[in-house]
Amino acid sequence: MTAEADRRPGIPRGERGAITVADRVVAKIASQVARDALSRFTESAGQVPPGRRTPRVTTSVRRAPERNTARAPERNTAGRDAESAAGRQALPFEARMRIAVELGYPSDIGAQCAAVRGEVTERLRTWAGMEVSDLVVSVERLHSVHVRHTDQERVR
């Protein structure tokens, strides 16, 4: 079937169609990846209540500027060199997002935010085929082991 598709006259192979990924799908991918990245920090994960472990993601996906777009990579059986070259190509879509997380305290907050940033950027590139042009990881709340009040007033 590939040979038949390559013989079609008219539109070149790399320009025949496009795949778009909805904003909400990108947000779900980012949320799951962020949760996975944070779960590796066991000292912090145990302190956050179960209902607050899912990061909240706000995202916006748009077509990358023309200078950054690249045609779909041609299939090449050369091995690792072809794969690494395809990985360096500019991708046609880019996402801007904000991820709000709740973390346990005391813990290494910087390492957790860096892990979220790195994992989300890498996995969106791999799974959805898009660059992350702007990613803000914000810590919305810190949960301390020493202060476990569920529905009480704030301690002054």
Side-chain angles (χ1 to χ4, degrees):
M1 185 166 166
T2 305
E4 180 182 315
D6 289 340
R7 285 184 266 145
R8 281 190 223 158
I11 304 171
R13 180 177 178 188
E15 299 174 9
R16 282 190 213 142
I19 296 174
T20 58
V21 181
D23 290 1
R24 68 175 189 229
V25 174
V26 174
K28 285 182 181 183
I29 291 171
S31 178
Q32 178 63 44
V33 171
R35 184 177 35 228
D36 291 347
L38 291 173
S39 70
R40 289 192 290 269
F41 293 89
T42 55
E43 75 279 355
S44 178
Q47 298 171 15
V48 180
R52 299 184 181 259
R53 290 189 183 143
T54 302
R56 284 175 293 288
V57 180
T58 306
T59 186
S60 171
V61 178
R62 66 182 178 98
R63 182 166 286 286
E66 280 300 314
R67 59 182 162 71
N68 290 337
T69 58
R71 295 177 55 179
E74 296 293 324
R75 195 168 281 228
N76 190 343
T77 58
R80 287 187 180 260
D81 294 335
E83 290 175 16
S84 64
R88 286 189 303 260
Q89 289 181 350
L91 299 172
F93 293 97
E94 63 183 25
R96 297 179 58 157
M97 63 183 58
R98 177 181 172 88
I99 301 175
V101 296
E102 294 189 19
L103 304 176
Y105 184 80
S107 64
D108 190 351
I109 296 168
Q112 292 177 79
C113 292
V116 168
R117 191 175 300 111
E119 288 285 323
V120 168
T121 301
E122 178 60 32
R123 295 237 188 120
L124 276 177
R125 181 179 183 85
T126 304
W127 292 355
M130 63 180 53
E131 289 288 335
V132 178
S133 63
D134 186 23
L135 174 60
V136 175
V137 179
S138 64
V139 179
E140 200 167 79
R141 179 173 289 157
L142 294 174
H143 296 274
S144 176
V145 171
H146 307 293
V147 183
R148 281 279 191 191
H149 302 290
T150 53
D151 290 327
Q152 296 180 0
E153 286 186 31
R154 185 174 168 190
V155 178
R156 294 179 195 203

